[in-house]
Amino acid sequence: MNDMTVLTVFTPTYNRAHTLLRTYESLLQQDCKEFIWLIIDDGSTDNTAELVKSWQSKENGFEIRYIYKENGGMHTAHNTAYAHIDTELNTCIDSDDKLAPGAVRMILDKWERVRDQGYAGMIGLDADFDNNVIGKGFPEGMTETTVIGYYSAGGSGDKKLVYRTDIINQYPAYPVFEGEKYVSLSYKYRLIDQKYKMAVLDEVLCNVEYQPDGSSNTMWRQYLRNPKGWAFWRKVCMQYPISKKRMVVDGIHYCSSSILAGNRHFVQESPRRLLTVLCTPAGLFLAKTTKKKAQA
């Protein structure tokens, strides 16, 4: 590694050899190659390893690192990535996405301007493959925000987050629940929000395409298969709510996930016990609905 390398682009992947190529090609097309590409293979059974090995043998202009681990879900791949990143900044590009043209240079140029201002990192835009911004952009004149602050002010759509590695590693790793493979990645971001802001980088940094078998298209099954992970996340949301209305929604989901997990002590374990008691009937209904939807 070049001692001056500031950025690691990391990519968790699971049986995505058929889309990982376009991620690789988007990195090759960057006009600035001052980054490391770290691939976390979450137990793939396709030809991902062979594909990456062939790329490592080429003159790419950037270093490619590859780590294979047993399949444990996206959050465990992030845990592995954070444990192995040794650059100042990091950002995640999924294995079916593309780093936008010029994104590395935009990230490094912006960071050079704001590095000494105490930010946890930067928040930029995601767009689809036709370069249409996902959800809403940033309000005119916004120069800094927290992740939760952006959404509580009416923002929407996935955003590209670039974090300082030292800060993201100050916070606990994503928990692992036996037999489950999902915990919201927003867990760490919500904790970081309580102390740090992000500098706004009002540029498209990533072009995304949602896969039919991706997490955004299988939510009912995720709720059913990973109830402990979801209950954990809803507890965090109730501790650090976006709004009172959203806190009620999270309370209902906490009850539902706890019921699906068979946890009889969820009221006592809740950070907001009264709200949890009030949300229990709706949570029971949601649990029943989740079972029906997931099995449909």
Side-chain angles (χ1 to χ4, degrees), residues 225-240:
R225 293 174 181 173
N226 306 284
K228 293 178 182 178
W230 278 106
F232 168 82
W233 168 234
R234 302 300 183 181
K235 284 173 66 175
V236 174
C237 290
M238 287 192 287
Q239 285 179 281
Y240 308 107

Side-chain angles (χ1 to χ4, degrees), residues 148 187 190-191 194 231-243 246-247 250-251 254 269-272 275:
I148 191 174
Y187 164 58
R190 188 69 63 95
L191 296 184
Q194 307 313 306
F232 168 82
W233 168 234
R234 302 300 183 181
K235 284 173 66 175
V236 174
C237 290
M238 287 192 287
Q239 285 179 281
Y240 308 107
I242 291 178
S243 65
R246 184 66 218 184
M247 186 166 61
D250 287 321
Y254 170 69
E269 295 173 2
S270 171
R272 299 184 184 273
L275 174 66

Side-chain angles (χ1 to χ4, degrees), residues 280-295:
T280 296
L284 181 61
F285 177 79
L286 179 58
K288 293 179 179 179
T289 300
T290 298
K291 289 182 179 179
K292 290 181 181 178
K293 294 282 190 179
Q295 297 167 358

Side-chain angles (χ1 to χ4, degrees), residues 109-167:
D109 285 351
K110 178 71 174 183
W111 189 241
E112 187 64 27
R113 297 194 297 272
V114 303
R115 172 184 265 135
D116 299 325
Q117 296 179 28
Y119 292 118
M122 296 167 285
I123 180 171
L125 299 171
D126 279 355
D128 62 22
F129 281 7
D130 293 320
N131 224 39
N132 300 305
V133 171
I134 303 295
K136 295 182 179 179
F138 298 112
E140 186 175 354
M142 176 180 280
T143 60
E144 62 180 25
T145 184
T146 58
V147 178
I148 191 174
Y150 167 75
Y151 290 108
S152 63
S156 65
D158 289 340
K159 296 293 172 281
K160 186 49 55 188
L161 305 176
V162 183
Y163 275 105
R164 278 174 47 189
T165 304
D166 64 333
I167 286 181

Side-chain angles (χ1 to χ4, degrees), residues 235 238 247-256 258-259 263-285:
K235 284 173 66 175
M238 287 192 287
M247 186 166 61
V248 173
V249 173
D250 287 321
I252 293 170
H253 276 274
Y254 170 69
C255 293
S256 173
S258 298
I259 291 167
N263 180 10
R264 298 180 179 180
H265 307 290
F266 68 91
V267 174
Q268 295 93 318
E269 295 173 2
S270 171
R272 299 184 184 273
R273 293 184 181 180
L274 177 58
L275 174 66
T276 301
V277 170
L278 296 174
C279 289
T280 296
L284 181 61
F285 177 79

